[in-house]
């Protein structure tokens, strides 16, 4: 991975691809004001440099039957690096956990969990998360609605 110095065109490319990763190279080139061949070279350079990590579809969780989103604040008995890594590996194996962040402060991790319904979440909570090794405490909050949902980062 080599570092690319971002100019205004690179930033516009990143912003447009972040909004719609499926647009054609020709459409992207038109939007950023250059021709298609240099646009494609720039996109490949941005990928190689690690600015673009991948492309994905933004799925509608509710339409797919995952109408419940829960945030779980997890405290661990031990914060030794091996124990933190073991917890992260375990969390990575649980499909219902969509995001996991290690935090500074009282809570060690916050997990974003999706579930089809309250019964599925309760089953996950009582059979997987709460009895997991090194888990000292779990506090949960059910999401009522999402007021803002943006992917990625601001591109200045």
């Amino acid at each position: 991975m080599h570092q690319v110095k971002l100019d205004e065109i690179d930033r516009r490319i990143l912003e447009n691809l972040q909004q719609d990763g499926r647009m054609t190279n020709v459409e992207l080139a038109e939007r950023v004001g250059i021709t298609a061949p240099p646009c494609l070279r720039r996109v490949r350079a941005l990928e190689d440099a690690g600015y673009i990590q991948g492309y994905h579809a933004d799925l509608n969780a509710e339409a797919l039957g995952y109408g419940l989103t829960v945030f779980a604040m997890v405290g661990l008995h031990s914060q030794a690096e091996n124990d933190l890594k073991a917890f992260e590996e375990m969390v990575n194996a649980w499909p219902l956990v969509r995001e996991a962040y290690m935090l500074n402060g009282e809570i060690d991790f916050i997990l974003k969990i999706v579930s089809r319904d309250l019964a599925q979440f309760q089953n996950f909570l009582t059979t997987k998360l709460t009895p997991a090794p090194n888990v000292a405490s779990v506090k949960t909050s059910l999401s009522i609605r999402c007021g803002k949902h943006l992917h990625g980062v601001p591109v200045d």
Side-chain angles (χ1 to χ4, degrees):
M1 203 165 63
H2 62 282
Q3 194 70 14
V4 172
K5 185 172 174 18
L6 298 178
D7 63 15
E8 183 59 32
I9 292 172
D10 292 326
R11 292 182 189 286
R12 288 199 313 255
I13 288 171
L14 292 173
E15 183 177 23
N16 277 275
L17 285 177
Q18 185 170 247
Q19 291 172 6
D20 180 7
R22 289 189 59 165
M23 77 175 68
T24 66
N25 182 58
V26 171
E27 182 179 351
L28 178 61
E30 288 173 4
R31 287 188 184 189
V32 301
I34 60 176
T35 61
C39 184
L40 185 58
R41 283 193 296 274
R42 283 176 177 258
V43 169
R44 288 189 176 144
L46 291 166
E47 291 169 347
D48 290 344
Y51 290 106
I52 299 172
Q53 295 181 332
Y55 300 89
H56 71 278
D58 187 11
L59 304 181
N60 182 330
E62 195 166 323
L64 290 165
Y66 291 91
L68 185 65
T69 300
V70 180
F71 293 91
M73 287 66 69
V74 179
L76 302 177
H77 290 293
S78 166
Q79 292 76 29
E81 186 62 25
N82 287 343
D83 294 327
L84 294 170
K85 285 183 180 179
F87 181 76
E88 288 173 331
E89 288 174 16
M90 183 174 48
V91 165
N92 280 320
W94 294 333
L96 294 180
V97 177
R98 305 312 298 170
E99 297 179 46
Y101 296 90
M102 185 168 53
L103 304 177
N104 178 19
E106 283 183 48
I107 303 300
D108 294 309
F109 282 87
I110 187 165
L111 310 179
K112 178 183 175 185
I113 303 164
V114 297
S115 149
R116 294 190 182 281
D117 53 31
L118 191 55
Q120 183 185 34
F121 169 70
Q122 287 175 327
N123 182 59
F124 169 78
L125 181 67
T126 58
T127 65
K128 302 271 194 227
L129 184 55
T130 303
N134 197 28
V135 171
S137 65
V138 178
K139 295 179 184 176
T140 60
S141 291
L142 276 66
S143 172
I144 295 174
R145 71 172 169 237
C146 178
K148 184 174 184 177
H149 180 77
L150 295 177
H151 293 284
V153 296
V155 181
D156 302 342

